[in-house]
Amino acid sequence: MAKNIWYLGLDLGNEGLTAVLSNPERGDIPLSWLYSEQEKKYAVRFPMNVYCGPGVGANSPSSPFVVGIEALKFAQQKTGIFLDDLKSLLKITLPYYLPEQHQWQPQLQLQPGEGTSVSLYLVQRGLQALLTTLTTGEVRVGNYSAEAVKEIMTDLQGVFVSCPAIWSEAYRFNVREAILGAKLVKEPGRVIFLEDAIASCLGSLSTHQKAGITLVIHISSLTTEFALLRVPEELTALDPTDIWVSTYPYGGKGLDEDIFWQLLYPHLVKEQESLFLEAENIPQPGQPDQEHRYLGRVHFQKYLGKSALQAAQLVKHILQKQNHFTPKKLGNGTWTVKRKNLEYRVTNPFIEALNQELNHLLSQAGISGSGVTQVILSGGGTLAILPSLKTWLRQKLMNAELIELTPDHNPYHLAKGLASLPQFSQVFNRSRHQYNDYFLLCELLNLSEEVLTFEEILQQLEQRGINTRACHDPYGGVRSRIQALITGEFPPGLVPDPSAHIWLTQESQNNLIYQEIMASPLFTPEGKNRYRLNCQQKDRLCNYLNLILVGTWQNLAEPLNVQI
């Protein structure tokens, strides 16, 4: 029986995806993608790029896609749509279709002022096209034949996906929809999300098992993830109450941008006055500063295209080995960038931010820095700041052993950790999976309309089969989430957050449905600890959710079954 039980660990990065298949008897088997039919060459990492051909618009969801390495060949085409930032887009909100307007909402602007827009639905379908490569014979799995691989991929028992800890349920919903659309699994409950840093820890436990306090720092393109774990002698006894996680929304991409703004831009602006940007609009180094980063990215891409970040990446790599560097392919003049300036202006501000984040996590867990016995460094973003990172950690955590598990050491590290989840199923956030934010919102819409106390609301939910008492966990239990919904908050990503408006077209920014939902809370306070369901808001939300769920593989009528 075990021979037919297969799980897929899917490390969904901003720039590429890696995958590992796992079987109880046959162990972990990494996947690789065919990228040269003629030479029969395979790549361990599949680029997260999607191209929609000439004439394809946001309202043509059935149009063909070109994905991965092939899509890169079309990157300069101006007649189609090229997507290379899928993760950032998929966390904005949920797509829905307006029949009367024959249009998907929201519409996203990839470059402000250029007039080119793409629907979020098309982005979701683009990810689906990427994932479909797993079932169409374009991947190699050990010595298995193409037919055997197809058979395995269409009968997976579960897909485990990496995800930043604080990202919205909208991201999970959109990715789950793409996985179901790619027919990797048949039931929504079989798609499970695991925090990046916990996946990194699981990927290392088999080879770097050490009882005590383990800190994981995973720096990806978009985020830096922390996990602090109290690891027991027997790994199967790992307790979720001994795991603390946090996310800092800045990673390798932010580093590249800061290298450009802090080291290259001051020289370039002297040569090209058109590049000038007011100082207050330049992103703060080491800080998320999302709005300024987005607008700054648009600004330098307008004048320099992709050469700006390519030059920043080159500087980053060379200054790891040399004390100074003179770029030759950017600008007209000759000037030099120095490693000490990289450290002072870019690396140190990031390390300072990481130090604050780590202090908060240690305080939350009640653990001193001297109590940490092992530090695992993973993710491609660690490579850029590794010397400074290690110096800081040796001073901060003087008793800890440092372990480097960057993609250069093992590109499958995170995917392997994800695939091993069945061995450590207790560590994933079971209640968040089973009772996600949108399901809870739907359940609240079904409550009676009389005035209720918070306790009476919980009682009604329990009468509907929701085990609210079992929903407390170290990542923020559902009970507190219910209270947030009742006291005026909506689930993140239900409608676009104001900070996400930089991605929306003007029309979608003025979306009447979004404005009406945000106009008033779902419950009206009726004295101390007493609430009444707002009937008008209930109707608006029911109509909106019905639009979202038309034609989806998922529904919000039932909690997701846990399938491990």
Side-chain angles (χ1 to χ4, degrees), residues 173-225:
F173 186 96
N174 288 330
V175 172
R176 189 182 290 113
E177 195 67 19
I179 290 171
L180 291 165
K183 295 182 171 52
L184 293 175
V185 287
K186 300 178 178 66
E187 301 169 23
R190 296 186 183 274
V191 181
I192 290 174
F193 293 87
L194 188 65
E195 293 86 345
D196 291 347
I198 295 180
S200 177
C201 185
L202 296 186
S204 66
L205 287 179
S206 59
T207 51
H208 299 281
Q209 179 181 352
K210 186 175 185 178
I213 304 299
T214 291
L215 170 69
V216 181
I217 302 178
H218 178 82
I219 306 179
S220 66
S221 177
L222 299 177
T223 63
T224 299
E225 301 285 308

Side-chain angles (χ1 to χ4, degrees), residues 462-479:
E462 287 169 359
Q463 288 168 6
R464 295 179 60 82
I466 298 175
N467 186 0
T468 61
R469 292 185 180 86
C471 291
H472 285 289
D473 60 51
Y475 309 110
V478 171
R479 185 183 290 262

Side-chain angles (χ1 to χ4, degrees), residues 4-7 135 149-158 183-186 190:
N4 298 321
I5 296 176
W6 290 93
Y7 297 102
T135 60
V149 171
K150 286 184 182 180
E151 185 177 344
I152 291 170
M153 287 295 180
T154 53
D155 193 30
L156 294 169
Q157 298 302 301
K183 295 182 171 52
L184 293 175
V185 287
K186 300 178 178 66
R190 296 186 183 274

Side-chain angles (χ1 to χ4, degrees), residues 344-528:
Y344 178 72
R345 297 180 187 174
V346 179
T347 305
N348 289 351
F350 184 30
I351 296 291
E352 289 171 11
L354 295 184
N355 190 60
Q356 291 181 8
E357 194 71 23
L358 179 56
N359 285 341
H360 177 73
L361 191 64
L362 290 168
S363 175
Q364 181 186 354
I367 294 171
S368 66
S370 60
V372 177
T373 54
Q374 180 174 254
V375 179
I376 296 169
L377 302 175
S378 63
T382 55
L383 293 170
I385 62 167
L386 203 53
S388 298
L389 195 61
K390 289 162 72 172
T391 299
W392 163 60
L393 288 170
R394 287 194 180 103
Q395 294 171 348
K396 180 84 172 177
L397 312 172
M398 64 289 294
N399 297 325
E401 176 188 0
L402 301 185
I403 298 170
E404 299 171 34
L405 294 172
T406 62
D408 284 0
H409 292 82
N410 183 355
Y412 294 108
H413 170 65
L414 213 65
K416 178 186 174 185
L418 291 162
S420 70
L421 183 58
Q423 302 171 48
F424 308 98
S425 59
Q426 75 274 20
V427 305
F428 92 97
N429 196 332
R430 190 172 294 265
S431 65
R432 181 174 183 176
H433 173 79
Q434 189 173 13
Y435 301 126
N436 67 61
D437 290 348
Y438 301 148
F439 167 77
L440 288 174
L441 178 63
C442 287
E443 289 298 304
L444 290 174
L445 293 174
N446 291 320
L447 293 179
S448 58
E449 296 177 6
E450 71 252 34
V451 176
L452 299 169
T453 65
F454 177 62
E455 289 71 23
E456 288 170 337
I457 290 172
L458 291 180
Q459 288 172 12
Q460 289 201 11
L461 291 174
E462 287 169 359
Q463 288 168 6
R464 295 179 60 82
I466 298 175
N467 186 0
T468 61
R469 292 185 180 86
C471 291
H472 285 289
D473 60 51
Y475 309 110
V478 171
R479 185 183 290 262
S480 62
R481 189 65 226 150
I482 293 171
Q483 192 161 17
L485 291 169
I486 293 170
T487 53
E489 293 183 27
F490 286 114
L494 180 69
V495 297
D497 184 88
S499 65
H501 281 195
I502 52 178
W503 291 104
L504 305 183
T505 62
Q506 193 63 47
E507 176 192 6
S508 290
Q509 289 180 33
N510 297 327
N511 183 302
L512 184 60
I513 292 178
Y514 296 158
Q515 292 176 359
E516 288 180 342
I517 288 174
M518 297 304 293
S520 58
L522 179 57
F523 286 83
T524 304
E526 296 279 353
K528 186 177 180 181

Side-chain angles (χ1 to χ4, degrees), residues 117-318:
S117 65
V118 58
S119 73
L120 178 58
Y121 175 74
L122 196 68
V123 178
Q124 188 192 88
R125 283 292 304 273
L127 176 60
Q128 179 179 318
L130 275 162
L131 297 175
T132 301
T133 60
L134 292 164
T135 60
T136 55
E138 298 176 46
V139 293
R140 181 171 62 183
V141 181
N143 296 320
Y144 286 86
S145 67
E147 289 303 316
V149 171
K150 286 184 182 180
E151 185 177 344
I152 291 170
M153 287 295 180
T154 53
D155 193 30
L156 294 169
Q157 298 302 301
V159 177
F160 310 134
V161 190
S162 58
C163 181
I166 64 169
W167 276 21
S168 71
E169 193 60 40
Y171 177 76
R172 290 169 168 81
F173 186 96
N174 288 330
V175 172
R176 189 182 290 113
E177 195 67 19
I179 290 171
L180 291 165
K183 295 182 171 52
L184 293 175
V185 287
K186 300 178 178 66
E187 301 169 23
R190 296 186 183 274
V191 181
I192 290 174
F193 293 87
L194 188 65
E195 293 86 345
D196 291 347
I198 295 180
S200 177
C201 185
L202 296 186
S204 66
L205 287 179
S206 59
T207 51
H208 299 281
Q209 179 181 352
K210 186 175 185 178
I213 304 299
T214 291
L215 170 69
V216 181
I217 302 178
H218 178 82
I219 306 179
S220 66
S221 177
L222 299 177
T223 63
T224 299
E225 301 285 308
F226 293 84
L228 200 59
L229 304 94
R230 200 183 303 273
V231 180
E233 292 287 347
E234 293 294 329
L235 294 180
T236 53
L238 187 62
D239 192 318
T241 61
D242 287 332
I243 301 175
W244 298 265
V245 296
S246 69
T247 299
Y248 186 62
Y250 176 101
K253 191 172 184 179
L255 275 169
D256 292 342
E257 291 169 348
D258 287 341
I259 289 172
F260 172 79
W261 288 114
Q262 300 299 318
L263 303 184
L264 304 182
Y265 169 77
H267 298 286
L268 289 170
V269 75
K270 295 175 184 177
E271 303 173 10
Q272 303 180 42
E273 292 184 6
S274 58
L275 270 177
F276 177 76
L277 193 65
E278 297 289 346
E280 62 267 23
N281 292 325
I282 293 175
Q284 292 297 306
Q287 298 296 316
D289 206 2
Q290 299 297 342
E291 182 174 357
H292 287 142
R293 289 196 179 280
Y294 175 78
L295 296 175
R297 196 179 311 139
V298 169
H299 181 75
F300 66 63
Q301 284 184 357
K302 178 180 178 181
Y303 296 102
L304 299 172
K306 295 190 179 297
S307 63
L309 282 188
Q310 289 170 349
Q313 290 163 355
L314 182 63
V315 167
K316 176 178 67 178
H317 291 303
I318 289 181

